[in-house]
Amino acid sequence: MYKRLISSITLVMILTLIITGCTSQASNIGMAKESDRKQVGTEFVVAEIGSYDSADTAVVLSVASDIGYVTFMNIATGRQYTLSYDGTTYVKDKYENSMAMSQIESGDIVDITFLKSKKRLASVQLSPRSWEFSNIENYNLGGLNKTASIGSNTYSLPDDVVVLSDGKRTEVMDVVNKDVLTISGIDHKICSIKVEKGHGYLRLTNDQALLGGWIEVGNAVVTQITENMMLTVPEGSYEVSLSNGNSSTVKNVVIERNKEVVLNVGELDIVQDKLGKIVFSVDPVDAVVTIDGDVVDISKEVELSYGIHRVKLEAEGYKTMAKYIQVGSEYASLSFTMEQGEDEATTEDDSGNDSGKSDDDSDVQSAVTENQVYIDAPVGVEVYMDGSYMGICPVNFTKVTGSHTIALRKAGYQSKSYTIYLYDDGQDITYSFNDLEKESSGSSGSSGSSGGSGSSKSSTSSKSGSSNSTKSKSEGSSSTSEDFTVSGNEGDSDKEKTDK
């Protein structure tokens, strides 16, 4: 009995120790876990590399690599947002090859995944569905029904298309003819336009002796010199040739993006009157040839003064051809072959001045209408169309179909250019542009002065009835994109420079 009691007590004590030890250990483990949970905190959730809860196809607006942020625009909705990235973000090209984030550029179309709640970018890939045309000049962004053409192909051009210039978002209207672009899209839709090479401005001073003559800015611009003109010129280095009768001069200029160069042409090199004899070979042989508006007999040598002349060829069953030639030697020969077909519409106004656009520049042929273009803002700025001075805003002038470059200028402010597309729709049209931005301190408005594009926007509306706007005082022809032919560089004949 006694032994049984001792055994029972011993068993109870052993069980008590076992139970006490297990409970203590469980309690300690629970406390340790609770302590660890507090150390991790509740504001941070550890996510696996590559995990995400959202996916988009978007256009890259900007990459801030110094702080690790990328700003996108959703192609479907137009919504903009910014996501952070780090070394765990996957970056790939169209073919699933690894890339560095530094290789992703503004304007790229990408497929992305991200954690929406944390605004963290999980992966970015150049979209396999996207296409891109780089460094193109043959385009028209003013097609009917919100369309644009690249070469011979037509694409839709939505209102929220991303247009980038100098790292800033701008508008389609800010893209000027001859700007060099990179255009990207998906299927038949343009999603982004990036200005790779922009434009600046060229003005002449002390140019009285040249009025009515011609100015050639490299192969970029050929136009007649008018009073108070200001040309919009692609950025780059150029040799500028100016001539009027027996007066001529050559200058070198460097055009920088959004900056203005003022060229003083007061000192001209006076040369003796010289004539060159030109032998024409034209197919078809019965074509009517006019030079500077006068019909000439090309069955014999044609004498022309040194300088630039406008040649026009017309024949039944053939498309009218218009070219500029430069006479620079005593003898030269030129050959022209006309293209069969009928002209769809006139490319000249009633005065015979060239419209400033060739077939390559626009699907819409230039034609003078009975309607007016009104520009009513910003008040007080000088208004130029295709380089010709139109007046001080508010101003109105005759509506000529096609694409045109409108430039705005005011002393002490940055010049600004826009492209407008005019159609023969039987209506007047009004443009109101935002105020020009002031020049940075130190700019004088002389040679090389600043003329940046800024971030202004414009709006248009149809307008009927009369206007008190100032009338245009522009005369002469505007900038042209027709072929330019050079004859007689000391024995070199049949040389052509085609502006494309």
Side-chain angles (χ1 to χ4, degrees):
M1 183 69 178
Y2 180 76
K3 290 182 178 180
R4 288 182 181 178
L5 181 60
I6 294 299
S7 298
S8 299
I9 293 172
T10 302
L11 181 60
V12 170
M13 290 179 63
I14 293 172
L15 291 174
T16 300
L17 291 173
I18 294 173
I19 293 172
T20 302
C22 292
T23 304
S24 177
Q25 184 179 8
S27 177
N28 290 338
I29 293 174
M31 292 177 61
K33 287 185 176 180
E34 182 65 27
S35 176
D36 290 343
R37 190 178 297 117
K38 289 181 179 180
Q39 290 175 9
V40 172
T42 59
E43 297 181 357
F44 181 79
V45 176
V46 178
E48 295 180 4
I49 295 176
S51 62
Y52 63 92
D53 55 19
S54 301
D56 276 342
T57 297
V59 176
V60 178
L61 299 182
S62 63
V63 180
S65 57
D66 54 335
I67 56 176
Y69 285 94
V70 186
T71 301
F72 301 95
M73 189 200 80
N74 185 304
I75 288 177
T77 65
R79 184 175 61 89
Q80 295 185 27
Y81 49 90
T82 300
L83 302 174
S84 65
Y85 72 90
D86 55 27
T88 65
T89 301
Y90 292 115
V91 185
K92 299 180 181 180
D93 64 13
K94 289 184 177 183
Y95 310 103
E96 299 286 342
N97 298 316
S98 296
M99 296 176 59
M101 186 62 76
S102 59
Q103 295 175 276
I104 300 295
E105 299 179 353
S106 300
D108 285 343
I109 300 175
V110 293
D111 295 330
I112 63 173
T113 61
F114 56 98
L115 281 169
K116 188 175 182 180
S117 59
K118 300 301 177 182
K119 295 183 178 181
R120 177 184 175 276
L121 183 62
S123 70
V124 55
Q125 179 186 10
L126 295 177
S127 179
R129 299 186 298 130
S130 67
W131 49 260
E132 179 180 282
F133 294 109
S134 301
N135 298 316
I136 61 170
E137 300 177 58
N138 184 16
Y139 58 84
N140 173 25
L141 303 181
L144 294 171
N145 301 320
K146 298 181 180 179
T147 61
S149 60
I150 304 173
S152 59
N153 298 319
T154 301
Y155 302 86
S156 65
L157 186 67
D159 291 333
D160 60 354
V161 62
V162 173
V163 183
L164 299 167
S165 179
D166 273 344
K168 298 179 180 178
R169 190 169 181 183
T170 180
E171 292 187 323
V172 171
M173 184 176 283
D174 297 325
V175 178
V176 172
N177 181 39
K178 291 188 172 67
D179 282 355
V180 179
L181 310 178
T182 292
I183 301 181
S184 303
I186 292 179
D187 297 329
H188 292 285
K189 176 183 175 182
I190 294 176
C191 300
S192 73
I193 300 172
K194 188 175 181 179
V195 178
E196 302 291 353
K197 185 178 179 181
H199 57 272
Y201 305 93
L202 177 64
R203 290 197 303 120
L204 304 179
T205 60
N206 299 320
D207 58 351
Q208 290 76 13
L210 289 170
L211 295 180
W214 293 86
I215 178 172
E216 176 193 0
V217 186
N219 293 328
V221 177
V222 180
T223 189
Q224 199 167 15
I225 299 173
T226 58
E227 187 176 4
N228 298 324
M229 71 188 307
M230 182 174 76
L231 301 176
T232 302
V233 182
E235 58 182 311
S237 300
Y238 299 96
E239 184 179 82
V240 180
S241 300
L242 306 105
S243 63
N244 186 18
N246 65 346
S247 299
S248 65
T249 187
V250 175
K251 302 282 187 177
N252 293 313
V253 299
V254 176
I255 303 295
E256 298 181 54
R257 187 181 299 196
N258 301 324
K259 293 187 178 181
E260 181 181 296
V261 173
V262 180
L263 196 58
N264 189 338
V265 293
E267 297 180 0
L268 297 179
D269 298 326
I270 307 300
V271 298
Q272 296 180 352
D273 289 334
K274 287 187 177 182
L275 295 176
K277 294 182 178 180
I278 310 297
V279 176
F280 286 91
S281 175
V282 176
D283 182 15
V285 295
D286 60 346
V288 176
V289 179
T290 59
I291 299 179
D292 298 332
D294 298 324
V295 178
V296 297
D297 181 6
I298 62 171
S299 64
K300 55 185 179 181
E301 296 176 343
V302 179
E303 283 192 339
L304 296 173
S305 61
Y306 277 29
I308 299 174
H309 300 272
R310 187 174 187 274
V311 178
K312 183 178 179 181
L313 301 92
E314 296 176 289
E316 186 176 353
Y318 291 82
K319 293 183 179 180
T320 299
M321 177 184 289
K323 290 181 176 288
Y324 288 98
I325 65 171
Q326 182 173 14
V327 179
S329 67
E330 294 183 12
Y331 297 94
S333 62
L334 294 173
S335 298
F336 299 102
T337 301
M338 300 181 66
E339 182 181 352
Q340 290 186 342
E342 297 294 336
D343 292 327
E344 296 180 0
T346 180
T347 59
E348 297 182 324
D349 60 24
D350 294 336
S351 65
N353 293 331
D354 184 75
S355 66
K357 302 297 171 189
S358 68
D359 292 344
D360 292 337
D361 291 323
S362 176
D363 292 334
V364 181
Q365 298 298 313
S366 297
V368 177
T369 71
E370 296 180 356
N371 301 108
Q372 292 285 301
V373 175
Y374 297 86
I375 297 180
D376 58 15
V379 175
V381 303
E382 301 169 11
V383 179
Y384 300 82
M385 185 175 79
D386 297 331
S388 296
Y389 178 74
M390 309 306 288
I392 302 296
C393 187
V395 65
N396 67 281
F397 45 86
T398 302
K399 186 178 183 182
V400 180
T401 61
S403 63
H404 302 277
T405 300
I406 298 295
L408 308 178
R409 180 185 180 275
K410 186 176 181 180
Y413 292 80
Q414 296 178 343
S415 298
K416 178 69 177 177
S417 289
Y418 300 92
T419 297
I420 62 173
Y421 298 89
L422 304 178
Y423 304 96
D424 189 5
D425 53 9
Q427 293 184 331
D428 295 342
I429 189 167
T430 295
Y431 289 90
S432 296
F433 302 103
N434 281 5
D435 293 338
L436 299 180
E437 295 185 356
K438 287 189 176 182
E439 289 180 343
S440 57
S441 59
S443 297
S444 62
S446 60
S447 179
S449 63
S450 176
S453 63
S455 58
S456 62
K457 297 182 179 180
S458 60
S459 61
T460 65
S461 61
S462 297
K463 178 177 180 178
S464 302
S466 60
S467 170
N468 296 324
S469 302
T470 305
K471 294 289 184 181
S472 165
K473 72 174 185 178
S474 172
E475 296 181 358
S477 64
S478 56
S479 302
T480 180
S481 295
E482 290 179 326
D483 291 344
F484 186 86
T485 304
V486 179
S487 78
N489 283 330
E490 295 301 317
D492 293 337
S493 61
D494 298 331
K495 290 186 177 180
E496 289 194 0
K497 296 187 294 181
T498 303
D499 180 17
K500 296 182 179 179

